[in-house]
Amino acid sequence: MSEPHDNKAAKSAILGKIRRSLSSGSDKADANRTKARQDVLERLAAKPLGIVPKRAQVGHYEKVAMFMDYAEKVSSSTARIASYDELPGAICDYLRTHNLPQAIVMGSDPRLAAINWKSQPQLERTLGPSDGTDLVGVNHAMGGVAETGTAILASGPDNPTTINFLPENHIIVVHADDIYGDYESVHDHLRGPDGVAHMPRALNMITGPSRSGDIEQKIMLGAHGPRAVHVIVVG
């Protein structure tokens, strides 16, 4: 059955109106998209800062003290050593204090690899990612955030992400020179000399042990990761 003439005319009128609308707006839409793209590129190039809290805008000594203080407030334990030479002894002291075996798993971070671990011959070290059976893992943080006591860890063979989450006890090593007042400063540190961010595959921000309050609003440590976090500040 052929379509009535009136219906064809009405359909043609509707489609024609749509075509004219699309045609007349296409130039304006293209201009809007071009401007929006330019606005985004200009903002990325300018790298504007947001509002940065003032509490961590203090001297370097105060930043390190604030970092350790806030780390302890979120149930981490902390220690301060003068140099990397003291690290094996500091780790062994922590293990003895908590009745843990003298055994750790760690990555191939060059700062840790350069240490004379023979000063503690009883300490067994396994290099590589954790398989979930290790009790204690050691990683070197790329930095710390003073305003929250947070350690920033970049993933990679040097510091495998599995060590951040699988062992029940996580020892985080961070150099005092790498402690920043705020997160914005850490983000700036991730940018290379060319001003472009060079992100690792994963950037883990660890603020104390894993915890959950899902069951009866009672905080349980070790819910989704380490039950204990020990932060050792070097320098």
Side-chain angles (χ1 to χ4, degrees), residues 6 19 38 42 54 64 68 72 75 84-85 94 102 110 112 128 130 140 143 147 159 162 164 168 190 210 214 227-228:
D6 290 346
R19 291 191 191 98
Q38 186 61 35
E42 290 177 359
K54 293 189 68 173
V64 176
M68 298 182 70
E72 292 177 359
S75 303
Y84 284 105
D85 293 336
Y94 174 82
Q102 297 282 308
L112 300 180
S130 174
H140 200 298
E147 64 180 352
N159 292 286
T162 53
N164 298 344
E168 284 203 358
L190 286 170
S210 169
D214 292 344
R227 190 181 301 273

Side-chain angles (χ1 to χ4, degrees), residues 55-56 58-73 78-80 144-150 174-177 179-181 231 233 235:
R55 72 177 180 188
V58 294
H60 180 66
Y61 179 84
E62 289 79 8
K63 288 178 185 176
V64 176
M66 182 184 297
F67 171 76
M68 298 182 70
D69 180 49
Y70 274 95
E72 292 177 359
K73 286 180 178 179
T78 64
R80 185 84 181 268
V145 180
E147 64 180 352
T148 55
T150 300
V174 60
H175 198 281
D177 291 343
I179 293 176
Y180 305 91
V231 180
V233 178

Side-chain angles (χ1 to χ4, degrees), residues 90-174:
I91 291 175
C92 290
D93 288 344
Y94 174 82
L95 298 178
R96 280 191 291 268
T97 300
H98 294 82
N99 198 29
L100 292 166
Q102 297 282 308
I104 59 175
V105 60
M106 55 185 283
S108 56
D109 189 285
R111 293 161 292 190
L112 300 180
I115 295 173
N116 178 22
W117 293 94
K118 293 181 180 179
S119 62
Q120 299 291 331
Q122 81 283 5
L123 182 63
E124 297 180 10
R125 293 184 303 125
T126 300
L127 299 181
S130 174
D131 61 2
T133 62
D134 309 284
L135 283 178
V136 184
V138 177
N139 265 348
H140 200 298
M142 63 157 284
V145 180
E147 64 180 352
T148 55
T150 300
I152 310 295
L153 293 106
S155 64
D158 290 352
N159 292 286
T161 299
T162 53
I163 295 178
N164 298 344
F165 299 106
L166 296 184
E168 284 203 358
N169 302 271
H170 189 197
I171 298 176
I172 302 174
V173 183
V174 60

